[in-house]
Amino acid sequence: AELLNTLATADKDVADYLLQERAGEIDETFFAMLQSYVDTAAQLQDNAQLVKLTNLRAKLMTETAVGREVEKRQIALHKFNRDAKKQGGLSVDLLLKHILANREDDKIVDALAAAGQQAVRYELFAQLTAEIEKLEQKQELAAAQRLIGIRERLLQMFDRMQAESRKILGRAEELLNLLKEAPDKETAVRANMQRFDDAFMYLLASRTAEADQAGDTQGLQALSQIHSLIMKQVDQQIPPEVRLINQLLEAGNPEAQEQALTENQAMLTPDLVKMLDGLQTELKSAGQVEMDGRIAELKEMIQARL
């Protein structure tokens, strides 16, 4: 952290000296910390700091061995994400294509597998095995052995993912049983709000659908009650500004939006406009053009009342 802060403010001569004297400290952890600094500066819209850090990252990526490796990996991941976006989502075929294209670099293969872990499933291993058999038939044994190594690492990763999934779902099952048996469900829900993650909500939805299909009216009512209580607590924890934005987006017409703005005049502040600016930035990054346009319209309506 001390080296990073010094490099971020140092002039060229000092930076060049530090890069020579302390090159051993610039490793993967250093780049991860640098990226977190860049992300923080971007979120705070600290443009001066963002420019310094971005320039430092560019310098390190060209002038250090680790940096060149990180840049190479980022380029590979960018191509992978771009292709996934172009075809409308991730697929086993796409992940395999990029793994084969980068088979000579284990770190890139591991990074691709981590980024595309949803596609790390039996079909991928079947296709990898088919590629290995083709190479063996051609007597390209070194290339086949490399793919065998990749397959082994991916199998280990898959086993870890499966074990972790079983643990997560087991914890979710325990929590759901606790809520079902609780005499005061609302108090139990309130006490466990921080434990309601994606796995729990998936399990709750799955159990609700099963109860509905089985005609289990009592079970369905209990599960639906738990869901309603969770949503009630979530709604209470949402900041009022976010609740207002949601209300404005859900309003059916401009007249309803104007009425909502009138009823919440005290909340129309420059800080709310800044919040909308941040939301627009996220939407643009995600390519959600239509929603970005709707937020821009809301911002204009609010600015007209300031």
Side-chain angles (χ1 to χ4, degrees):
E2 173 268 322
L3 176 58
L4 175 52
N5 289 323
T6 303
L7 284 170
T9 56
D11 61 29
K12 184 180 183 303
D13 290 340
V14 173
D16 289 343
Y17 172 78
L18 287 172
L19 288 181
Q20 288 182 356
E21 291 296 309
R22 301 177 65 177
E25 295 174 55
I26 300 173
D27 55 11
E28 297 272 353
T29 303
F30 183 93
F31 270 93
M33 185 181 290
L34 174 55
Q35 185 59 50
S36 73
Y37 278 36
V38 170
D39 293 341
T40 300
Q43 289 170 1
L44 296 175
Q45 298 183 354
D46 184 348
N47 293 329
Q49 184 72 353
L50 183 59
V51 168
K52 286 180 185 177
L53 292 170
T54 303
N55 288 340
L56 173 60
R57 183 176 59 185
K59 181 180 179 67
L60 294 177
M61 280 186 171
T62 57
E63 297 184 16
T64 66
V66 174
R68 287 188 287 272
E69 287 296 315
V70 170
E71 184 178 33
K72 187 178 173 184
R73 201 177 317 147
Q74 287 186 351
I75 290 171
L77 286 171
H78 174 72
K79 289 179 180 177
F80 176 58
N81 291 326
R82 181 195 62 200
D83 288 353
K85 188 174 181 180
K86 190 185 296 183
Q87 75 169 20
L90 186 60
S91 68
V92 170
D93 289 341
L94 181 67
L95 178 57
L96 179 64
K97 172 187 170 184
H98 283 265
I99 285 174
L100 293 176
N102 294 280
R103 70 183 78 186
E104 299 301 323
D105 192 315
D106 289 342
K107 288 187 176 181
I108 291 180
V109 168
D110 291 346
L112 288 167
Q117 58 184 265
Q118 290 176 333
V120 179
R121 48 181 187 261
Y122 292 115
E123 187 184 344
L124 176 68
F125 297 116
Q127 292 190 24
L128 261 175
T129 300
E131 291 293 330
I132 291 167
E133 289 172 353
K134 286 180 190 175
L135 291 170
E136 287 174 340
Q137 288 171 5
K138 295 178 186 176
Q139 294 299 304
E140 296 180 23
L141 301 183
Q145 197 58 44
R146 173 158 284 282
L147 287 190
I148 289 171
I150 290 172
R151 185 180 61 185
E152 289 304 312
R153 291 206 317 279
L154 293 183
L155 277 168
Q156 291 173 8
M157 174 185 173
F158 181 72
D159 289 342
R160 289 195 301 270
M161 286 165 50
Q162 293 291 93
E164 185 62 26
S165 294
R166 285 192 291 272
K167 266 200 270 185
I168 291 170
L169 286 174
R171 289 195 295 264
E173 190 81 58
E174 288 177 10
L175 178 56
L176 183 56
N177 289 334
L178 182 151
L179 295 175
K180 285 162 66 177
E181 295 167 7
D184 184 347
K185 289 183 173 49
E186 185 166 6
T187 300
V189 164
R190 196 180 304 118
N192 289 280
M193 280 302 293
Q194 293 186 345
R195 298 175 65 188
F196 299 138
D197 54 14
D198 288 344
F200 177 84
M201 298 309 292
Y202 168 80
L203 180 67
L204 178 57
S206 176
R207 292 288 184 269
T208 302
E210 289 171 7
D212 187 26
Q213 290 171 4
D216 180 1
T217 306
Q218 187 176 355
L220 180 61
Q221 287 178 345
L223 293 166
S224 298
Q225 182 189 12
I226 291 169
H227 183 269
S228 297
L229 289 170
I230 292 171
M231 291 301 102
K232 178 183 174 184
Q233 288 298 318
V234 168
D235 189 56
Q236 289 176 358
Q237 292 180 10
I238 293 175
E241 294 83 2
V242 176
R243 203 176 297 132
L244 175 59
I245 292 170
N246 286 335
Q247 183 183 350
L248 292 168
L249 289 171
E250 292 168 4
N253 52 62
E255 290 75 20
Q257 290 176 329
E258 290 291 355
Q259 182 179 346
L261 290 172
T262 300
E263 292 171 354
N264 296 276
Q265 183 68 40
M267 292 173 58
L268 308 186
T269 64
D271 285 341
L272 181 59
V273 175
K274 283 184 182 177
M275 185 181 290
L276 291 170
D277 285 336
L279 184 55
Q280 277 191 284
T281 300
E282 291 179 15
L283 291 169
K284 284 174 182 173
S285 299
Q288 298 186 33
V289 179
E290 181 184 354
M291 184 59 75
D292 176 35
R294 293 179 65 191
I295 295 295
E297 290 172 2
L298 291 182
K299 193 168 71 173
E300 287 180 11
M301 295 173 73
I302 292 169
Q303 286 174 322
R305 288 171 172 257
L306 292 179

